[in-house]
Amino acid sequence: MAKLSTEDLLGQFKEMTLVELSEFVKSFETEFDVTAAAPVAVAAAGGAAAAGAADGAQDEFTVILENAGSQKIAVIKEVRGLNSSLGLKEAKDLVDATPATLLEKASKETADKAKAALEAAGATVTIKQSLIRKTPLGITSSGGFQ
């Protein structure tokens, strides 16, 4: 079987219906024992990463849920608000598995908003910072917390 390029794969995905694509994702998850519902909100950090890339150095933040506190249901609702791709069970499992990383590579503003919302719901949250540096070859490397 010939190896497909990224462009070929994307072309195939564009032709699929949402139901077909959903079935494909489920099959992929089963075949490779992975999950597509990551407990991080990568999309929220994507815009910030693109905006700061021109600077050569950028601060990125990771939001970690340390403890859900006594208002677990409110915290689960906030976790689902941060990552709408999580179902109720996934959000509950994430909250039960504290400490858990909720956001990675988030902007300072996004991380602060998430922390404020989670703390208002009764959770204990920490924010870790990592500095992204560009090497002379233009390769991005992370320092600090991963």
Side-chain angles (χ1 to χ4, degrees):
M1 183 167 141
K3 184 176 177 181
L4 297 174
S5 70
T6 302
E7 292 80 22
D8 292 337
L9 286 171
L10 288 174
Q12 292 295 318
F13 291 143
K14 287 178 183 177
E15 293 176 11
M16 297 172 83
T17 66
L18 289 177
V19 173
E20 292 171 330
L21 194 53
S22 175
E23 289 171 357
F24 169 77
V25 170
K26 288 177 186 174
S27 297
F28 187 91
E29 290 173 340
T30 303
E31 178 70 24
F32 296 104
D33 194 28
V34 296
T35 179
V40 295
V42 176
D55 298 345
Q58 172 189 340
D59 291 333
E60 293 180 342
F61 299 87
T62 302
V63 178
I64 301 168
L65 177 66
E66 298 292 343
N67 188 331
S70 62
Q71 300 293 324
K72 244 173 142 174
I73 294 173
V75 174
I76 291 169
K77 287 180 181 178
E78 289 301 328
V79 168
R80 288 191 69 200
L82 293 174
N83 187 349
S84 60
S85 68
L86 291 178
L88 183 59
K89 182 180 179 346
E90 290 86 3
K92 181 187 178 299
D93 291 345
L94 190 61
V95 169
D96 287 341
T98 55
T101 301
L102 299 179
L103 296 174
E104 288 181 330
K105 299 181 181 179
S107 68
K108 175 76 171 151
E109 180 181 335
T110 302
D112 287 340
K113 284 181 182 177
K115 181 178 180 182
L118 289 161
E119 286 179 343
T124 305
V125 180
T126 58
I127 297 177
K128 304 274 183 169
Q129 179 181 13
S130 64
L131 182 63
I132 302 299
R133 296 178 291 277
K134 289 224 177 202
T135 64
L137 298 174
I139 299 170
T140 303
S141 62
S142 296
F145 181 79
Q146 294 238 359

